[in-house]
Amino acid sequence: MSDPGPSTVQSSLPAAAARFGAPVVEIARTSAAEVACPPVPAVPPDPPVPSDPLVPPDLSAPSALARVLRGPSGLGTAGLYLTPREGQPKSPEPDAPVVGHPIPGLYHHPVPEPDPARVEEVSARIKAWALEEVDLYPDEWEDQFDGFSVGRYMVACHPDAPTVDHLMIATRLMVAENAVDDCYCEDHGGSPIGLGGRLLLAHTALDHLHTTQEYEPQWAQSLHSDAPRRAYRSAMEYFVQQSTPSQADRYRHDMARLHLGYLAEAAWSQTDHVPEVWEYLAMRQFNNFRPCPTITDTVGGYELPADLHAQPAMQRVIALAGNATTIVNDLYSYTKELAAPGKHLNLPVVIAEREGASEQDAYLKAVEVHNDLMHAFEDEAAALSAACPVPGVQRFLRGVAAWVDGNHYWHQTNTYRYSLPDFW
């Protein structure tokens, strides 16, 4: 199947471009206001896209009230203003997802249906990779692999990927990360006992062991010893072929963060400890989706230079994006986890136990926590875009925003995995 190319996805970008490309008169937080934007090599901007006629020319008001008054923004939201703006025709509604309902009250941005040709090709390629290249799962797990709908997930999250080859970078890494989570931590034989040793050895598939000639062959052979290590090794080899050394090192760093979060949750499980809410949120800042949006430039076919990626304001934006998207997972997977054996920590469960709330009130408070994180993410991204008006920075911020929106879309529409509690 031929790759549909970037022209098929550009139509989804204008609203996202407006989302973080507009000037901001005041900076909400000093961290972003004080960013020193160093001179960097030119980075290719997004391909030209038509302007959104429903976005007013001045989006500079910094207050939360102004954000509400100007209506929603983000991928696919051009038709979501309550009334047409004066002198403008009403915009058609975006394509509705085929299945699934969003959590009532959850702040999110609807997205158009991902390009079906790309979804089909990514889905076919990732299944061939899983079966033929890394022998990822036995026959009895096939329905679960298909039900994960990773092709639809990644196409929705990366609308500016120039080719299917670029989408496959993210797709292999996503599948490999989930193989480690399932087989080492949770659904398919996972256990907190001995997890640290398993994760350490798996991490060497991402961050190679440099040892003596005598012992290197044994390590290399170990990378083929189980499905998670085979998947990590192969996905990382593909990734480094299309990333820069800086991007690859950035990804290794974020995967180490992820593994640290796995270990904290495992330690609490072994001692039956329910953390304080703030402690749980700290763990979720590490055990979260951060490695996925942090590679948005690699998947987009460009590089955000390392000195700009490392800016504290950019790190805050990426952390907030990862934290918000991970609470989305807590909320949509709530009923699935309650039905599973054992006690699963998620934000509503921790709020209920630590703050003495009912299950319903705890869940609704978790929705509020997510919304606060989302607003902070958008405020910080807008401030950083204004403080550092470098094309690569603004393109990266739009890419992270698209990932946040696509992640919600996948959770909402994946009714194979998720269903909502009856709290409304």
Side-chain angles (χ1 to χ4, degrees):
M1 180 179 297
S2 61
D3 180 67
S7 62
T8 64
V9 297
Q10 287 181 11
S11 61
S12 66
L13 295 176
R19 189 167 168 191
F20 294 139
V24 177
V25 173
E26 297 180 23
I27 305 300
R29 297 179 183 272
T30 57
S31 60
E34 295 172 356
V35 167
C37 188
V40 294
V43 177
D46 282 338
V49 292
S51 60
D52 184 347
L54 293 181
V55 175
D58 181 13
L59 295 181
S60 60
S63 68
L65 175 61
R67 178 174 58 235
V68 173
L69 292 177
R70 72 176 178 242
S73 60
L75 292 172
T77 59
L80 296 182
Y81 293 96
L82 296 179
T83 58
R85 299 190 182 278
E86 184 176 355
Q88 308 255 356
K90 184 176 180 180
S91 176
E93 295 291 329
D95 294 337
V98 291
V99 290
H101 298 283
I103 294 170
L106 191 77
Y107 179 70
H108 70 282
H109 302 289
V111 304
E113 284 296 295
D115 180 80
R118 286 194 159 195
V119 171
E120 182 180 359
E121 184 161 355
V122 171
S123 298
R125 286 198 197 183
I126 194 61
K127 192 164 185 177
W129 173 80
L131 293 176
E132 299 167 14
E133 294 192 43
V134 298
D135 190 20
L136 186 67
Y137 59 86
D139 292 343
E140 57 266 29
W141 296 359
E142 183 174 13
D143 288 348
Q144 296 175 57
F145 184 87
D146 293 342
F148 194 79
S149 301
V150 68
R152 187 157 51 93
Y153 194 177
M154 293 297 95
V155 175
C157 285
H158 296 285
D160 71 337
T163 69
V164 168
D165 285 339
H166 287 83
L167 284 167
M168 287 301 299
I169 298 169
T171 309
R172 291 188 202 93
L173 291 172
M174 169 64 79
V175 170
E177 290 164 26
N178 276 274
V180 169
D181 191 20
D182 283 350
C183 296
Y184 284 3
C185 305
E186 294 189 2
D187 297 341
H188 295 299
S191 169
I193 300 172
L195 178 60
R198 295 193 298 275
L199 284 177
L200 174 66
L201 297 179
H203 194 82
T204 67
L206 308 174
D207 196 350
H208 284 189
L209 176 65
H210 300 280
T211 187
T212 65
Q213 290 184 359
E214 179 182 359
Y215 295 109
E216 184 169 357
Q218 297 173 50
W219 162 73
Q221 185 177 3
S222 76
L223 299 182
H224 300 267
S225 61
D226 63 13
R229 276 185 273 189
R230 290 193 298 271
Y232 263 5
R233 179 199 58 79
S234 177
M236 193 66 183
E237 285 182 356
Y238 279 104
F239 178 64
V240 298
Q241 290 171 14
Q242 293 187 273
S243 64
T244 67
S246 175
Q247 288 172 322
D249 195 58
R250 176 205 307 172
Y251 179 75
R252 294 184 189 102
H253 187 185
D254 279 347
M255 289 301 292
R257 285 180 164 124
L258 175 67
H259 294 158
L260 180 61
Y262 286 171
L263 292 174
E265 187 171 15
W268 290 338
S269 174
Q270 286 185 281
T271 59
D272 293 321
H273 173 66
V274 176
E276 298 288 347
V277 175
W278 74 264
E279 292 175 319
Y280 177 80
L281 292 171
M283 181 273 290
R284 277 311 231 171
Q285 179 161 310
F286 293 84
N287 179 3
N288 77 4
F289 287 111
R290 183 187 178 114
C292 303
T294 203
I295 64 169
T296 186
D297 53 341
T298 307
V299 181
Y302 66 100
E303 180 181 17
L304 178 68
D307 55 349
L308 292 177
H309 183 269
Q311 287 283 335
M314 180 64 78
Q315 290 295 300
R316 176 169 168 78
V317 167
I318 295 170
L320 287 166
N323 293 350
T325 54
T326 302
I327 301 308
V328 164
N329 180 264
D330 276 15
L331 293 166
Y332 278 97
S333 65
Y334 177 75
T335 58
K336 175 176 178 280
E337 292 183 346
L338 286 186
K343 185 169 188 176
H344 289 258
L345 291 182
N346 57 52
L347 184 56
V349 166
V350 173
I351 290 174
E353 182 147 341
R354 282 300 189 177
E355 299 186 357
S358 68
E359 289 184 355
Q360 180 181 28
D361 288 345
Y363 190 93
L364 297 179
K365 183 169 183 180
V367 171
E368 294 178 5
V369 171
H370 164 271
N371 292 351
D372 288 346
L373 289 168
M374 274 290 290
H375 291 315
F377 159 65
E378 293 188 342
D379 289 346
E380 292 288 346
L384 177 56
S385 178
C388 193
V390 175
V393 168
Q394 302 202 0
R395 182 174 181 184
F396 187 84
L397 291 172
R398 291 194 296 270
V400 173
W403 202 94
V404 170
D405 295 345
N407 176 74
H408 175 269
Y409 161 88
W410 177 80
H411 281 85
Q412 174 192 331
T413 59
N414 196 328
T415 55
Y416 175 88
R417 291 172 62 87
Y418 306 123
S419 61
L420 300 184
D422 186 17
F423 287 156
W424 299 276

